[in-house]
Amino acid sequence: MAYFDSASSAPLHPVARQALLASLDEGWADPARLHREGRRARMLLDAAREAAAEAVGCRADELVFTSSGTRAVHSGIAGVLAGRRRAGRHLIVSSVEHSSVLHAAEAHEAAGGTVTRVGADRSGAVAVDACAGALRDDTALLCLQSANHEVGTEQPVAEVAAVCREAGVPLLVDAAQSLGWGRVEGTWSVLTGSAHKWGGPSGVGLLVVRKGVRFAAQGPVDERESGRAAGFENIPAIVAAAASLRAVRAEAAAEAVRLRELTERIRTRVPALVPDVEVVGHPVRRLPGVVTFSCLYVDGETLLHELDREGFSVSSGSSCTSSTLTPSHVLRAMGVLSEGNVRVSLPPGTAEEDVERFLAALPGAVAAVREKLGAPAPAAVVREDALVVDALGKRCPIPVIELAKVIADVPVGGTVRVLSDDEAARLDIPAWCEMRGQEYVGEEAAERGSAYVVRRVD
């Protein structure tokens, strides 16, 4: 089985396994106690903190360990907002942030705060000018990821950090996806990370708060981790997390070159091997091992099952893989195709032969899914130069399939109105028009759902 889902969780690094097993015998005691076993546990914890701080590029007393990356994000955002309450209650986040950031923003909004969500372009990049334009006199915090978790696009953190510094506003960086590849550049104020993203054990997060940043920990606190992460420290896991971060950093430069070549191979060859594919994410400014593409007329969940049967573990942002049938918020914010979405994220050490096997298996898997889904005949009514397609009650990707099957039935300049009550159609029909050179006129109200109007161009 080829595991191509390291952006969700990377396989445990051998160094992490060794450190975890070794520290189970040495790091079980309470590091707050003064007896021999407690002092030994404290030495392990302090050494891990020093190693992690060196990797991040901060002081050891600025870094605390949390129970997860999500907990680090929530604690970081809540702590800065509370610490800067006198400055204001305005929070800025990008529309392509990890859901942990967006959920924290929703909670802040529900508690009476205000939130500005900065958009992204079709590559998933957030513009520095857009962040600068969102700053206000009452802005307490701006959040920007270092790299996107779904499409791999790297963000202009250093440039945004400079803008924030000039405005006197702290910048929180979610560095979960990039920390294993190198330090986050720029004068950021708060940083979070998650050990299982770089090959450490799950259940360990990092929260770094620079000296001078106003921060007030929220919720019940105790004396551990500077009062910013309550609860008994999982020292064996923390030691393994710090050891694996140092290990992957030592391998990062050479491995990044190798994985970039493999992902570029996928980016280039998939559109040549499979028709009607859109490769998404920035073509250059992206993480080494992540490549994402979407296939027209494909059910994402069915495609993932097909690839799993072929021996490949990948993930998807398709609405078709969600119980809510709602497209990925990242793909939606980018305005790109969501149906048949596949994210390939290669872990360090991925063999070239596995990538070649994937490229050989993908065309057949996509064709098999399209064959299964291509059967339904659209219910169409022609009214002069307009055609109405009734796709009510049909889910992604059926509305787009039916649109594609009938677009040639109207004259050039004529329109097709697709009736759909599937939320994914709002994203996928405009994306289809972009890919196929047709004109998306817009969305109109309908008795049920919405009518998506497309004008035939050629």
Side-chain angles (χ1 to χ4, degrees):
M1 192 77 178
Y3 181 76
F4 289 173
D5 194 22
S6 65
S8 294
S9 189
L12 193 66
H13 194 283
V15 168
R17 185 183 301 277
Q18 294 168 6
L20 181 64
L21 293 175
S23 57
L24 285 172
D25 292 331
E26 299 291 329
W28 50 269
D30 187 345
R33 303 299 172 220
L34 300 179
H35 45 61
R36 181 182 304 172
E37 293 82 0
R39 295 197 304 272
R40 188 181 296 130
R42 169 57 62 180
M43 289 176 61
L44 287 173
L45 180 59
D46 289 346
R49 196 184 314 278
E50 290 281 353
E54 192 280 329
V56 170
C58 66
R59 293 169 40 156
D61 60 354
E62 294 174 328
L63 184 150
V64 299
F65 295 104
T66 65
S67 58
S68 68
T70 294
R71 174 51 57 192
V73 165
H74 290 171
S75 297
I77 293 176
V80 175
L81 289 175
R84 285 178 47 81
R85 191 180 182 93
R86 289 185 179 179
R89 302 197 65 196
H90 178 230
L91 170 66
I92 302 171
V93 300
S94 88
S95 58
V96 292
E97 293 299 307
H98 188 270
S99 57
S100 61
V101 174
L102 300 184
H103 291 159
E106 290 168 2
H108 177 62
E109 220 167 16
T114 57
V115 178
T116 296
R117 295 167 177 84
V118 178
D121 63 21
R122 284 185 65 85
S123 74
V126 177
V128 178
D129 290 347
C131 292
L135 291 169
R136 305 187 326 206
D137 291 341
D138 62 339
T139 301
L141 176 65
L142 191 152
C143 300
L144 181 65
Q145 61 195 194
S146 56
N148 187 261
H149 52 289
E150 288 197 32
V151 299
T153 298
E154 294 177 330
Q155 304 294 357
V157 171
E159 294 88 341
V160 172
V163 170
C164 287
R165 186 179 183 86
E166 185 176 349
V169 173
L171 172 66
L172 182 148
V173 179
D174 170 16
Q177 289 296 338
S178 72
L179 207 52
W181 296 108
R183 290 182 177 179
V184 176
E185 301 299 325
T187 54
W188 47 265
S189 305
V190 182
L191 180 141
T192 64
S194 186
H196 75 99
K197 300 289 188 179
W198 67 67
S202 58
V204 179
L206 301 181
L207 172 61
V208 180
V209 181
R210 295 285 200 191
K211 293 295 181 183
V213 176
R214 291 188 176 277
F215 189 93
Q218 298 300 287
V221 299
D222 59 23
E223 71 281 3
R224 299 181 188 276
E225 294 302 295
S226 304
R228 293 176 180 169
F232 196 92
E233 299 93 341
N234 185 348
I235 293 177
I238 288 171
V239 169
S244 59
L245 181 56
R246 175 177 287 180
V248 297
R249 282 289 188 81
E251 305 160 353
E255 194 62 18
V257 172
R258 201 178 68 84
L259 290 186
R260 283 191 189 280
E261 191 282 324
L262 293 177
T263 53
E264 188 59 34
R265 191 180 306 185
I266 296 172
R267 287 181 63 90
T268 302
R269 288 176 55 187
V270 165
L273 292 168
V274 182
D276 298 316
V277 164
E278 181 180 19
V279 180
V280 300
H282 199 280
V284 177
R285 200 170 63 246
R286 56 187 171 85
L287 292 172
V290 179
V291 57
T292 306
F293 55 89
S294 298
C295 308
L296 273 172
Y297 323 131
V298 168
D299 178 323
E301 183 173 5
T302 305
L303 180 57
L304 260 58
H305 288 322
E306 287 286 341
L307 290 171
D308 187 65
R309 280 193 286 269
E310 293 287 342
F312 301 98
S313 300
V314 298
S315 64
S316 173
S318 280
S319 59
C320 311
T321 63
S322 167
S323 60
T324 62
L325 294 175
T326 301
S328 148
H329 71 274
V330 171
L331 300 178
R332 187 166 62 244
M334 292 167 61
V336 298
L337 186 70
S338 76
E339 66 184 58
N341 179 261
V342 175
R343 181 187 66 184
V344 176
S345 48
L346 308 177
T350 296
E352 180 181 1
E353 309 85 75
D354 287 339
V355 172
E356 287 296 329
R357 286 197 305 108
F358 173 77
L359 291 170
L362 181 65
V366 173
V369 176
R370 284 175 173 166
E371 185 178 0
K372 292 176 184 176
L373 294 174
V381 179
V382 177
R383 296 174 182 171
E384 299 178 357
D385 63 345
L387 185 147
V388 178
V389 173
D390 185 355
L392 293 168
K394 298 176 181 178
R395 299 301 179 190
C396 158
I398 299 302
V400 181
I401 290 175
E402 297 193 345
L403 167 61
K405 291 170 73 173
V406 302
I407 189 70
D409 293 343
V410 297
V412 173
T415 61
V416 177
R417 298 176 77 250
V418 182
L419 303 178
S420 177
D421 52 3
D422 181 9
E423 179 69 21
R426 182 169 286 114
L427 175 64
D428 290 345
I429 290 177
W432 179 89
C433 292
E434 181 79 19
M435 292 177 67
R436 305 312 296 264
Q438 305 297 342
E439 179 187 352
Y440 179 63
V441 177
E443 179 180 346
E444 298 177 353
E447 188 174 337
R448 281 183 55 203
S450 297
Y452 302 93
V453 183
V454 176
R455 179 173 288 111
R456 183 183 173 190
V457 174
D458 55 19

PDB file of all heavy atoms in Angstrom, residues 49-58 179 182-184 206 242 245-246 249:
ATOM      1  N   ARG A  49      12.205  20.930  24.927  1.00  0.00           N
ATOM      2  CA  ARG A  49      11.792  22.310  24.679  1.00  0.00           C
ATOM      3  C   ARG A  49      12.913  23.088  23.979  1.00  0.00           C
ATOM      4  O   ARG A  49      12.671  23.868  23.054  1.00  0.00           O
ATOM      5  CB  ARG A  49      11.411  22.995  25.999  1.00  0.00           C
ATOM      6  CG  ARG A  49      10.613  24.273  25.787  1.00  0.00           C
ATOM      7  CD  ARG A  49      10.326  24.993  27.109  1.00  0.00           C
ATOM      8  NE  ARG A  49       9.864  24.116  28.153  1.00  0.00           N
ATOM      9  CZ  ARG A  49       8.600  23.710  28.289  1.00  0.00           C
ATOM     10  NH1 ARG A  49       7.699  24.102  27.422  1.00  0.00           N
ATOM     11  NH2 ARG A  49       8.258  22.911  29.286  1.00  0.00           N
ATOM     12  N   GLU A  50      14.141  22.899  24.430  1.00  0.00           N
ATOM     13  CA  GLU A  50      15.285  23.571  23.811  1.00  0.00           C
ATOM     14  C   GLU A  50      15.430  23.155  22.342  1.00  0.00           C
ATOM     15  O   GLU A  50      15.669  23.993  21.465  1.00  0.00           O
ATOM     16  CB  GLU A  50      16.570  23.242  24.573  1.00  0.00           C
ATOM     17  CG  GLU A  50      16.678  23.853  25.961  1.00  0.00           C
ATOM     18  CD  GLU A  50      17.083  25.318  25.915  1.00  0.00           C
ATOM     19  OE1 GLU A  50      17.398  25.821  24.819  1.00  0.00           O
ATOM     20  OE2 GLU A  50      17.067  25.959  26.983  1.00  0.00           O
ATOM     21  N   ALA A  51      15.274  21.863  22.084  1.00  0.00           N
ATOM     22  CA  ALA A  51      15.422  21.357  20.709  1.00  0.00           C
ATOM     23  C   ALA A  51      14.317  21.907  19.815  1.00  0.00           C
ATOM     24  O   ALA A  51      14.570  22.326  18.674  1.00  0.00           O
ATOM     25  CB  ALA A  51      15.409  19.834  20.703  1.00  0.00           C
ATOM     26  N   ALA A  52      13.087  21.907  20.323  1.00  0.00           N
ATOM     27  CA  ALA A  52      11.969  22.424  19.523  1.00  0.00           C
ATOM     28  C   ALA A  52      12.117  23.928  19.289  1.00  0.00           C
ATOM     29  O   ALA A  52      11.856  24.422  18.181  1.00  0.00           O
ATOM     30  CB  ALA A  52      10.646  22.127  20.224  1.00  0.00           C
ATOM     31  N   ALA A  53      12.548  24.674  20.301  1.00  0.00           N
ATOM     32  CA  ALA A  53      12.725  26.112  20.160  1.00  0.00           C
ATOM     33  C   ALA A  53      13.808  26.435  19.133  1.00  0.00           C
ATOM     34  O   ALA A  53      13.666  27.378  18.340  1.00  0.00           O
ATOM     35  CB  ALA A  53      13.071  26.736  21.503  1.00  0.00           C
ATOM     36  N   GLU A  54      14.879  25.655  19.145  1.00  0.00           N
ATOM     37  CA  GLU A  54      15.941  25.874  18.161  1.00  0.00           C
ATOM     38  C   GLU A  54      15.421  25.646  16.754  1.00  0.00           C
ATOM     39  O   GLU A  54      15.752  26.386  15.813  1.00  0.00           O
ATOM     40  CB  GLU A  54      17.118  24.938  18.467  1.00  0.00           C
ATOM     41  CG  GLU A  54      18.389  25.241  17.712  1.00  0.00           C
ATOM     42  CD  GLU A  54      18.391  24.709  16.287  1.00  0.00           C
ATOM     43  OE1 GLU A  54      17.741  23.650  16.068  1.00  0.00           O
ATOM     44  OE2 GLU A  54      19.021  25.328  15.403  1.00  0.00           O
ATOM     45  N   ALA A  55      14.579  24.620  16.577  1.00  0.00           N
ATOM     46  CA  ALA A  55      14.015  24.321  15.260  1.00  0.00           C
ATOM     47  C   ALA A  55      13.062  25.418  14.805  1.00  0.00           C
ATOM     48  O   ALA A  55      13.035  25.787  13.634  1.00  0.00           O
ATOM     49  CB  ALA A  55      13.296  22.977  15.289  1.00  0.00           C
ATOM     50  N   VAL A  56      12.274  25.949  15.722  1.00  0.00           N
ATOM     51  CA  VAL A  56      11.305  26.990  15.382  1.00  0.00           C
ATOM     52  C   VAL A  56      12.003  28.326  15.159  1.00  0.00           C
ATOM     53  O   VAL A  56      11.609  29.117  14.294  1.00  0.00           O
ATOM     54  CB  VAL A  56      10.240  27.120  16.497  1.00  0.00           C
ATOM     55  CG1 VAL A  56       9.372  28.349  16.293  1.00  0.00           C
ATOM     56  CG2 VAL A  56       9.369  25.872  16.542  1.00  0.00           C
ATOM     57  N   GLY A  57      13.056  28.581  15.958  1.00  0.00           N
ATOM     58  CA  GLY A  57      13.729  29.872  15.895  1.00  0.00           C
ATOM     59  C   GLY A  57      13.183  30.837  16.918  1.00  0.00           C
ATOM     60  O   GLY A  57      12.925  32.008  16.622  1.00  0.00           O
ATOM     61  N   CYS A  58      13.005  30.344  18.158  1.00  0.00           N
ATOM     62  CA  CYS A  58      12.482  31.181  19.235  1.00  0.00           C
ATOM     63  C   CYS A  58      13.221  30.848  20.523  1.00  0.00           C
ATOM     64  O   CYS A  58      14.055  29.938  20.566  1.00  0.00           O
ATOM     65  CB  CYS A  58      10.977  30.949  19.409  1.00  0.00           C
ATOM     66  SG  CYS A  58      10.540  29.287  19.992  1.00  0.00           S
ATOM     67  N   LEU A 179       6.268  23.324   9.118  1.00  0.00           N
ATOM     68  CA  LEU A 179       7.332  23.376  10.126  1.00  0.00           C
ATOM     69  C   LEU A 179       8.388  22.291   9.935  1.00  0.00           C
ATOM     70  O   LEU A 179       9.560  22.495  10.250  1.00  0.00           O
ATOM     71  CB  LEU A 179       6.723  23.296  11.533  1.00  0.00           C
ATOM     72  CG  LEU A 179       7.515  23.935  12.672  1.00  0.00           C
ATOM     73  CD1 LEU A 179       7.904  25.360  12.356  1.00  0.00           C
ATOM     74  CD2 LEU A 179       6.712  23.868  13.958  1.00  0.00           C
ATOM     75  N   GLY A 182      11.113  23.654   7.433  1.00  0.00           N
ATOM     76  CA  GLY A 182      11.997  24.771   7.759  1.00  0.00           C
ATOM     77  C   GLY A 182      11.304  25.794   8.630  1.00  0.00           C
ATOM     78  O   GLY A 182      10.102  25.723   8.890  1.00  0.00           O
ATOM     79  N   ARG A 183      12.087  26.755   9.101  1.00  0.00           N
ATOM     80  CA  ARG A 183      11.553  27.819   9.939  1.00  0.00           C
ATOM     81  C   ARG A 183      10.612  28.726   9.141  1.00  0.00           C
ATOM     82  O   ARG A 183      10.755  28.856   7.928  1.00  0.00           O
ATOM     83  CB  ARG A 183      12.691  28.672  10.499  1.00  0.00           C
ATOM     84  CG  ARG A 183      13.551  27.973  11.533  1.00  0.00           C
ATOM     85  CD  ARG A 183      14.609  28.931  12.051  1.00  0.00           C
ATOM     86  NE  ARG A 183      15.425  28.319  13.095  1.00  0.00           N
ATOM     87  CZ  ARG A 183      16.428  28.924  13.714  1.00  0.00           C
ATOM     88  NH1 ARG A 183      16.738  30.182  13.379  1.00  0.00           N
ATOM     89  NH2 ARG A 183      17.123  28.302  14.653  1.00  0.00           N
ATOM     90  N   VAL A 184       9.701  29.348   9.841  1.00  0.00           N
ATOM     91  CA  VAL A 184       8.818  30.346   9.244  1.00  0.00           C
ATOM     92  C   VAL A 184       9.514  31.691   9.329  1.00  0.00           C
ATOM     93  O   VAL A 184       9.855  32.160  10.432  1.00  0.00           O
ATOM     94  CB  VAL A 184       7.457  30.395   9.967  1.00  0.00           C
ATOM     95  CG1 VAL A 184       6.592  31.504   9.392  1.00  0.00           C
ATOM     96  CG2 VAL A 184       6.758  29.051   9.865  1.00  0.00           C
ATOM     97  N   LEU A 206       2.544  22.581  19.407  1.00  0.00           N
ATOM     98  CA  LEU A 206       3.444  23.647  19.851  1.00  0.00           C
ATOM     99  C   LEU A 206       2.688  24.967  19.837  1.00  0.00           C
ATOM    100  O   LEU A 206       1.946  25.254  18.897  1.00  0.00           O
ATOM    101  CB  LEU A 206       4.645  23.793  18.902  1.00  0.00           C
ATOM    102  CG  LEU A 206       5.569  22.608  18.687  1.00  0.00           C
ATOM    103  CD1 LEU A 206       6.688  23.014  17.729  1.00  0.00           C
ATOM    104  CD2 LEU A 206       6.156  22.140  20.000  1.00  0.00           C
ATOM    105  N   ALA A 242      10.022  16.364  19.565  1.00  0.00           N
ATOM    106  CA  ALA A 242      11.189  17.227  19.370  1.00  0.00           C
ATOM    107  C   ALA A 242      12.297  16.500  18.619  1.00  0.00           C
ATOM    108  O   ALA A 242      12.949  17.074  17.736  1.00  0.00           O
ATOM    109  CB  ALA A 242      11.699  17.710  20.726  1.00  0.00           C
ATOM    110  N   LEU A 245      11.327  16.258  14.922  1.00  0.00           N
ATOM    111  CA  LEU A 245      11.418  17.546  14.241  1.00  0.00           C
ATOM    112  C   LEU A 245      12.868  17.830  13.861  1.00  0.00           C
ATOM    113  O   LEU A 245      13.157  18.275  12.748  1.00  0.00           O
ATOM    114  CB  LEU A 245      10.866  18.664  15.133  1.00  0.00           C
ATOM    115  CG  LEU A 245      10.874  20.072  14.523  1.00  0.00           C
ATOM    116  CD1 LEU A 245      10.126  20.107  13.197  1.00  0.00           C
ATOM    117  CD2 LEU A 245      10.284  21.080  15.508  1.00  0.00           C
ATOM    118  N   ARG A 246      13.774  17.573  14.779  1.00  0.00           N
ATOM    119  CA  ARG A 246      15.198  17.774  14.469  1.00  0.00           C
ATOM    120  C   ARG A 246      15.637  16.819  13.351  1.00  0.00           C
ATOM    121  O   ARG A 246      16.387  17.212  12.455  1.00  0.00           O
ATOM    122  CB  ARG A 246      16.030  17.546  15.725  1.00  0.00           C
ATOM    123  CG  ARG A 246      17.525  17.618  15.498  1.00  0.00           C
ATOM    124  CD  ARG A 246      18.300  17.451  16.796  1.00  0.00           C
ATOM    125  NE  ARG A 246      18.192  18.637  17.631  1.00  0.00           N
ATOM    126  CZ  ARG A 246      18.774  18.753  18.828  1.00  0.00           C
ATOM    127  NH1 ARG A 246      19.468  17.737  19.325  1.00  0.00           N
ATOM    128  NH2 ARG A 246      18.673  19.859  19.530  1.00  0.00           N
ATOM    129  N   ARG A 249      14.212  17.871   9.878  1.00  0.00           N
ATOM    130  CA  ARG A 249      14.887  19.084   9.427  1.00  0.00           C
ATOM    131  C   ARG A 249      16.255  18.754   8.811  1.00  0.00           C
ATOM    132  O   ARG A 249      16.673  19.376   7.840  1.00  0.00           O
ATOM    133  CB  ARG A 249      15.072  20.041  10.588  1.00  0.00           C
ATOM    134  CG  ARG A 249      13.827  20.795  10.949  1.00  0.00           C
ATOM    135  CD  ARG A 249      13.476  21.857   9.872  1.00  0.00           C
ATOM    136  NE  ARG A 249      12.381  22.679  10.348  1.00  0.00           N
ATOM    137  CZ  ARG A 249      12.523  23.689  11.181  1.00  0.00           C
ATOM    138  NH1 ARG A 249      13.726  24.028  11.610  1.00  0.00           N
ATOM    139  NH2 ARG A 249      11.473  24.370  11.565  1.00  0.00           N
TER     140      ARG A 249
END
